[in-house]
């Protein structure tokens, strides 16, 4: 049996897939992917540079934003070179070890990003519900410790995943339907029982994204209670406006995260093109849109960016 259709060694290669049915325009499709990559890298790098060099931005909200920018950069660097290589150079092959490494970084960075969004929700909760103690609660050492705990939690939970995948023998068709490695697809290539892996991935997803989502909702319930107690309508709107940017980031992250399980659960009955589209949205949209949203909605940051480019 050919290597394309059968692989029985853990040193074998997998074949990634471009967008089917659009082979004639794959070169043109690579242009928006390239622009997304450049904008993501430049946008997040500029935000990191401004926050690091401007003392007036050394505040908890902007420190958390810099953490979010780091995860966005990591996701772009981890996935976009592979995607561009497929569209520009038809480089579809990826070794199992490289695929496992890509899965590790994608999952780790995604879970870290989920935790950072939770920290940003906590920042808004303290700022609105307990403003007098804001400076004493969110000190720089505490922020650094919270960031390290979030990173260590994600890495510790994902670290066993490559080893759980590596123990399998892969004997089924080695063609993936995405331009990057996806947990479920890689597991489905194994000719062994994948119940343990599926249960583990579901468990860590609930312990990270699921728990973080629940705590974010709880934070905003408390925030709404505080805002509704404010008698002045204009003041209530002003307070809520400080949460708009964070809510946009939460929406950009959780919409594709919730869409992917639906895609895999009902993949046989839904459009294959829709499945691929959701897969790209999951990885490409948050790193692209987060710096744009924060640059536009955060007036202080917006002014600093303009000064950098038009000094």
């Amino acid at each position: 049996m050919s290597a394309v259709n059968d692989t029985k060694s853990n040193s074998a290669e997998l074949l990634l897939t471009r967008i089917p049915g659009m082979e004639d325009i794959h070169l043109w499709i690579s242009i928006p992917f390239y622009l997304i990559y450049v904008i993501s890298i430049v946008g997040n790098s500029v935000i990191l540079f401004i926050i690091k060099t401007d003392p007036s931005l050394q505040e908890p909200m902007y420190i958390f934003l810099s953490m979010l920018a780091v995860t966005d950069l990591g996701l772009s660097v981890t996935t976009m070179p592979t995607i561009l290589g497929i569209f520009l150079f038809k480089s579809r092959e990826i070794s199992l070890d490289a695929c496992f490494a890509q899965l590790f970084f994608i999952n780790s960075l995604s879970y870290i990003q989920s935790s950072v969004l939770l920290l940003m929700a906590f920042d808004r909760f303290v700022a609105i519900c307990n403003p007098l103690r804001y400076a004493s609660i969110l000190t720089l050492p505490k922020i650094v410790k919270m960031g390290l705990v979030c990173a260590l939690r994600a890495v510790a939970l994902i670290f066993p995943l490559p080893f759980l995948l590596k123990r399998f023998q892969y004997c089924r068709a080695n063609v993936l339907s995405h331009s990057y490695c996806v947990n479920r697809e890689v597991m489905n290539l194994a000719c062994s029982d994948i119940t343990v892996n599926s249960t583990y991935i579901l468990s860590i997803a609930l312990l990270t994204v699921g728990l973080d989502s629940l705590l974010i909702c709880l934070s905003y319930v408390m925030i709404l209670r505080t805002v509704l107690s404010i008698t002045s309508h204009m003041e209530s709107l002003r307070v809520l406006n400080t949460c708009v940017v964070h809510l946009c980031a939460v929406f950009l992250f959780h919409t594709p995260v919730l869409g992917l399980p639906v895609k895999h659960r009902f993949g046989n009955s839904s459009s294959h093109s829709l499945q691929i589209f959701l897969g790209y949205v999951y990885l490409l949209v948050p790193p692209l849109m987060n710096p744009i949203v924060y640059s536009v909605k955060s007036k202080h940051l917006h002014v600093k960016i303009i000064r950098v480019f038009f000094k």
Side-chain angles (χ1 to χ4, degrees):
M1 189 174 291
S2 66
V4 174
N5 295 322
D6 191 21
T7 159
K8 297 184 179 180
S9 169
N10 283 352
S11 62
E13 291 185 336
L14 302 179
L15 293 179
L16 301 172
T17 303
R18 296 179 289 182
I19 301 177
M22 299 183 178
E23 288 76 9
D24 295 338
I25 58 172
H26 277 161
L27 183 61
W28 294 103
I29 294 175
S30 67
I31 296 176
F33 280 117
Y34 178 76
L35 291 176
I36 290 173
Y37 184 46
V38 171
I39 294 172
S40 300
I41 296 294
V42 173
N44 287 290
S45 298
V46 168
I47 286 180
L48 285 172
F49 173 76
I50 292 175
I51 293 175
K52 179 178 175 57
T53 57
D54 193 329
S56 66
L57 296 179
Q58 305 300 315
E59 300 177 2
M61 180 179 70
Y62 294 106
I63 296 175
F64 291 135
L65 175 57
S66 66
M67 295 179 186
L68 190 65
V70 170
T71 61
D72 285 338
L73 282 172
L75 282 172
S76 296
V77 171
T78 301
T79 56
M80 283 305 296
T82 302
I83 295 173
L84 289 175
I86 294 173
F87 281 98
L88 292 175
F89 308 110
K90 300 181 180 180
S91 178
R92 298 180 58 195
E93 299 82 6
I94 183 171
S95 68
L96 278 172
D97 289 337
C99 188
F100 298 158
Q102 188 179 62
L103 285 175
F104 171 79
F105 285 109
I106 290 175
N107 286 280
S108 297
L109 291 167
S110 296
Y111 291 158
I112 292 173
Q113 190 173 67
S114 174
S115 299
V116 172
L117 292 173
L118 173 60
L119 295 180
M120 297 173 83
F122 178 68
D123 168 75
R124 292 298 85 205
F125 166 75
V126 176
I128 294 172
C129 300
N130 205 347
L132 297 179
R133 297 186 57 199
Y134 180 78
S136 61
I137 293 176
L138 290 174
T139 61
L140 182 58
K142 290 180 180 178
I143 292 172
V144 173
K145 289 178 182 178
M146 288 189 290
L148 287 175
V149 168
C150 292
L152 289 174
R153 181 189 70 162
V155 172
L157 290 174
I158 295 299
F159 186 74
L161 181 60
F163 300 99
L164 289 174
L165 292 171
K166 197 173 180 64
R167 67 191 177 95
F168 291 137
Q169 287 294 323
Y170 294 88
C171 58
R172 293 176 182 156
N174 61 339
V175 180
L176 304 177
S177 63
H178 289 77
S179 303
Y180 58 91
C181 293
V182 179
N183 288 325
R184 173 59 60 180
E185 284 197 339
V186 174
M187 286 193 298
N188 286 340
L189 302 181
C191 48
S192 308
D193 184 16
I194 61 172
T195 303
V196 173
N197 285 49
S198 299
T199 304
Y200 181 74
I201 290 175
L202 177 61
S203 300
I204 60 177
L206 292 175
L207 286 172
T208 52
V209 179
L211 181 60
D212 293 344
S213 302
L214 181 63
L215 293 175
I216 288 173
C217 291
L218 181 61
S219 297
Y220 274 99
V221 168
M222 301 299 292
I223 288 172
L224 283 174
R225 287 183 58 185
T226 302
V227 170
L228 292 175
S229 66
I230 300 175
T231 56
S232 172
H233 180 67
M234 293 300 297
E235 183 65 16
S236 299
L237 291 177
R238 187 191 67 80
V239 172
L240 285 175
N241 190 52
T242 64
C243 302
V244 170
V245 180
H246 175 254
L247 288 173
C248 290
V250 171
F251 176 79
L252 289 172
F253 175 80
H254 283 91
T255 299
V257 165
L258 294 175
L260 275 179
V262 175
K263 176 199 71 153
H264 290 298
R265 174 64 181 84
F266 302 101
N268 293 330
S269 59
S270 63
S271 168
H272 185 61
S273 299
L274 177 61
Q275 298 177 42
I276 295 175
F277 174 75
L278 284 174
Y280 285 130
V281 169
Y282 170 66
L283 287 181
L284 305 183
V285 171
L288 171 69
M289 294 304 299
N290 282 337
I292 295 175
V293 170
Y294 273 93
S295 300
V296 172
K297 295 298 294 182
S298 178
K299 187 176 181 180
H300 197 178
L301 187 61
H302 179 71
V303 171
K304 299 295 181 181
I305 292 175
I306 291 177
R307 288 180 180 175
V308 166
F309 285 100
F310 297 99
K311 184 180 293 184

